[in-house]
């Protein structure tokens, strides 16, 4: 019997992991990207495999948060007035899905798939021989006032009771002992113990892509926008010539809806842009530290400290305005000596967030052999191997390890 064949579009964490799972199941797979693997969103993130993130980010619905965001005082979220018409439909749906009862159902679906995040990465990390990039010591969430810390601890305790995620509460002194470069007069932190952290997120995707090639997969350069349906499946012109396959997988992260629009699908996306910049020559942290008061993260990378910013709601073509990153840098400098910025222009990329905060995984409704895996929002680096497995199980007709119904594409 001939092998089933697939073209996987997009070599970010999600596409590479999907391609790997298909190859392992005996598929003949060509993975196509216009760049090297792991050079876009899956490169620019904070590198945290966030197995503790059982509750996806809901849109704040309280008046205080609304006023802070509307008046530009919130650093975790910023919007550009000019781009609001672009966002208004997806944002209204995001607001609707963020109501407590709906968010509760979404959390159960999210927690079900994120429970597989580290175990699925583990298999790939071992097989890709990428263990040197990964630490298993968790990360810390700093709180700058007592009330915020108490509130965060209460939520963490609820998550521990219901989902089994593990954490420790650190006093300011314990935090300063763990990270001696920090001041010791901070109220404290939550140390999430289960997450893993990666010192080169793009490097991990590249290592997975190498594994894919070692297992017999083919990696090619090409433009996904050239994808065309044929009588027997799908075809694409690549730099190495035309390729044909029975199935096509769209794993183009924030670019996925652009391609799917050509086939008549209107997937809504809340595009949350994030920025990062590296710092060298100062002090660095032992583990990543997230400072939710100002909506940024500091992540020690291989040769520098990376600061990642919160969410900017802006249109895809808008010029960079790294206001949040500039503010984050200023408050981070109050905590530690960052040294000097490496890049003059910060990196930016888009978290591909769906209005109901869940990824889109499964078969496209109106095209035979067209499969989707995108919309991983704030945790695609975490989720790629788990959702890649789920997609490949569905494509191969296997009983999936996780109930796929909350992620099905026809909900939009
Ligand atoms: C600042 C920031 C911090 C983050 N921190 C974390 C974190 O700590 N942990 C976490 O889990 N997640 C984090 N995320 C989210 C995470 O990075 C994303 O969810 C994830 O990388 C999405 O992966 P992806 O494979 O879907 O998309 P991508 O990595 O963007 O991959 C899509 C691929 O499609 C390719 N492509 C696009 N268009 C075409 C075309 N026309 N033809 C060919 N190829 C094309 C691109 O080149 C790219 O390689 C963060 C995101 C940001 C912005």
């Amino acid at each position: 019997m001939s092998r089933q064949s697939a073209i996987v579009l997009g070599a970010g964490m999600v596409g590479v992991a999907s391609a790997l799972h298909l190859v392992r199941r005996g598929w003949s797979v060509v993975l196509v990207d216009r760049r090297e693997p792991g050079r876009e969103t899956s490169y620019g993130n904070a590198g945290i495999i966030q197995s503790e993130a059982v509750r996806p980010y809901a849109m704040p619905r309280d008046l205080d948060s609304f006023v802070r965001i509307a008046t530009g005082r919130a650093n975790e979220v910023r919007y550009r007035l000019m781009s609001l018409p672009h966002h208004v439909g997806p944002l209204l749906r995001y607001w609707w899905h963020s109501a407590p009862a709906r968010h509760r159902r979404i959390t159960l679906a999210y927690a079900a798939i994120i429970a597989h995040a580290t175990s699925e990465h583990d298999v790939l990390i071992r097989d890709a021989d990428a263990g040197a990039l990964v630490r298993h010591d968790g990360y810390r969430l700093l709180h700058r006032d007592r009330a915020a810390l108490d509130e965060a601890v209460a939520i963490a305790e609820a998550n521990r009771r219901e989902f089994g995620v593990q954490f420790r509460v650190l006093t300011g002194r314990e935090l300063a002992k763990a990270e001696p470069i920090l001041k010791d007069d901070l109220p404290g932190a939550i140390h999430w113990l289960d997450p893993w952290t990666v010192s080169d997120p793009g490097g991990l995707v590249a290592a997975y892509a190498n594994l894919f090639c070692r297992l017999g997969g083919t990696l090619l350069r090409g433009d996904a926008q050239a994808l065309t349906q044929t009588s027997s499946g799908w075809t694409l012109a690549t730099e190495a010539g035309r390729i044909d396959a029975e199935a096509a997988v769209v794993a183009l992260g924030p670019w996925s809806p652009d391609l799917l629009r050509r086939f008549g699908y209107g997937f809504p996306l809340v595009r949350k842009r994030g920025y990062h910049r590296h710092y060298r020559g100062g002090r660095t942290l032992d583990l990543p530290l997230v400072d939710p008061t100002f909506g940024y993260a500091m992540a020690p990378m291989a040769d520098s400290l990376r600061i990642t910013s919160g969410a900017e709601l802006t249109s895809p073509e808008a010029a960079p305005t790294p206001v949040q990153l500039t503010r984050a840098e200023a408050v981070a400098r109050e905590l530690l000596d960052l040294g000097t910025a490496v890049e003059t222009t910060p990196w930016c990329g888009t978290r591909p967030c769906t209005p109901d905060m869940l990824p889109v995984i499964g078969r496209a409704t109106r095209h035979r052999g067209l499969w989707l895996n995108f919309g991983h929002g704030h945790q695609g680096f975490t989720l790629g191997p788990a959702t890649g497995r789920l997609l490949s199980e569905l494509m191969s007709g296997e009983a999936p390890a996780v109930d796929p119904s909350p992620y099905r594409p026809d909900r939009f």
Side-chain angles (χ1 to χ4, degrees), residues 47-81:
I48 309 175
I49 297 175
Q50 279 194 270
S51 48
E52 93 299 347
V54 289
R55 296 175 201 265
Y57 286 106
M59 184 193 255
R61 288 167 59 104
D62 59 289
L63 187 63
D64 182 44
S65 303
F66 181 79
V67 172
R68 283 177 57 250
I69 294 168
T71 55
R73 282 188 289 123
N75 204 42
E76 67 277 22
V77 186
R78 178 176 184 266
Y79 66 94
R80 294 229 219 145
L81 206 54

Side-chain angles (χ1 to χ4, degrees), residues 138-156:
Y139 78 94
R140 301 188 181 96
L141 196 69
L142 168 72
H143 280 285
R144 287 172 179 258
D145 72 75
R146 190 74 236 171
L149 178 62
D150 291 346
E151 196 183 322
V153 170
I155 296 171

Side-chain angles (χ1 to χ4, degrees), residues 184-200:
D184 67 357
D185 58 351
L186 294 159
I190 292 177
H191 183 167
W192 289 109
L193 300 169
D194 304 319
W196 295 356
T197 58
V198 178
S199 60
D200 178 0

Side-chain angles (χ1 to χ4, degrees), residues 4-313:
Q4 291 173 293
S5 57
I7 303 168
V8 177
L9 301 166
M13 180 56 90
V14 175
V16 171
S18 303
L20 257 172
H21 279 289
L22 285 169
V23 160
R24 282 196 189 285
R25 282 169 174 73
W27 286 65
S28 163
V29 183
V30 182
L31 174 62
V32 180
D33 201 296
R34 58 189 174 196
R35 302 189 63 182
E36 291 288 311
R39 298 316 300 162
E40 293 282 0
T41 334
S42 299
Y43 153 73
N45 55 69
I48 309 175
I49 297 175
Q50 279 194 270
S51 48
E52 93 299 347
V54 289
R55 296 175 201 265
Y57 286 106
M59 184 193 255
R61 288 167 59 104
D62 59 289
L63 187 63
D64 182 44
S65 303
F66 181 79
V67 172
R68 283 177 57 250
I69 294 168
T71 55
R73 282 188 289 123
N75 204 42
E76 67 277 22
V77 186
R78 178 176 184 266
Y79 66 94
R80 294 229 219 145
L81 206 54
M82 297 287 284
S83 76
L84 268 191
H86 203 89
H87 287 288
V88 80
L91 277 180
L92 282 173
R93 292 166 83 166
Y94 186 21
W95 184 83
W96 191 83
H97 286 292
S98 298
R102 291 184 197 105
H103 188 251
R104 168 86 195 139
R105 282 197 296 276
I106 288 163
T107 296
L108 294 178
Y110 206 68
I113 189 106
I114 221 159
H116 295 263
T118 46
S119 55
E120 289 301 330
H121 270 285
D122 193 34
V123 177
L124 302 188
I125 290 165
R126 284 170 199 272
D127 291 355
D129 201 14
L133 300 177
V134 185
R135 281 188 64 185
H136 298 178
D137 304 314
Y139 78 94
R140 301 188 181 96
L141 196 69
L142 168 72
H143 280 285
R144 287 172 179 258
D145 72 75
R146 190 74 236 171
L149 178 62
D150 291 346
E151 196 183 322
V153 170
I155 296 171
E157 270 165 2
N159 289 349
R160 177 160 60 192
R161 271 195 307 278
E162 184 167 8
F163 302 109
V165 291
Q166 299 300 318
F167 68 94
R168 269 187 66 211
V169 182
L170 304 180
T171 62
R173 186 156 299 179
E174 286 168 329
L175 175 62
K177 199 164 167 215
E179 296 283 8
I181 58 170
L182 293 177
K183 301 191 302 185
D184 67 357
D185 58 351
L186 294 159
I190 292 177
H191 183 167
W192 289 109
L193 300 169
D194 304 319
W196 295 356
T197 58
V198 178
S199 60
D200 178 0
L204 187 64
V205 179
Y208 290 176
N210 287 340
L211 172 63
F212 163 75
C213 294
R214 280 210 315 272
L215 295 178
T218 306
L219 178 64
L220 293 178
R221 294 277 184 103
D223 181 0
Q225 285 291 345
L227 183 73
T228 309
Q229 192 171 24
T230 63
S231 55
S232 57
W234 297 88
T235 189
L236 183 75
T238 70
E239 283 184 3
R242 195 183 117 137
I243 51 169
D244 295 278
E246 292 149 65
V249 176
V250 178
L252 295 165
W255 295 274
S256 302
D258 303 342
L259 172 61
L260 291 166
R261 207 169 300 121
R262 265 192 45 224
F263 295 101
Y265 298 94
F267 283 98
L269 211 59
V270 180
R271 306 177 62 88
K272 297 188 187 177
R273 188 185 275 182
Y275 297 83
H276 87 215
R277 204 197 298 259
H278 297 100
Y279 298 84
R280 262 194 222 128
R283 311 295 296 274
T284 194
L285 294 163
D286 181 39
L287 290 176
L289 188 73
V290 176
D291 185 353
T293 314
F294 297 100
Y296 71 97
M298 289 188 276
M301 293 287 146
D303 59 357
S304 56
L305 187 70
R306 177 181 288 185
I307 296 191
T308 59
S309 73
E312 183 188 42
L313 298 169

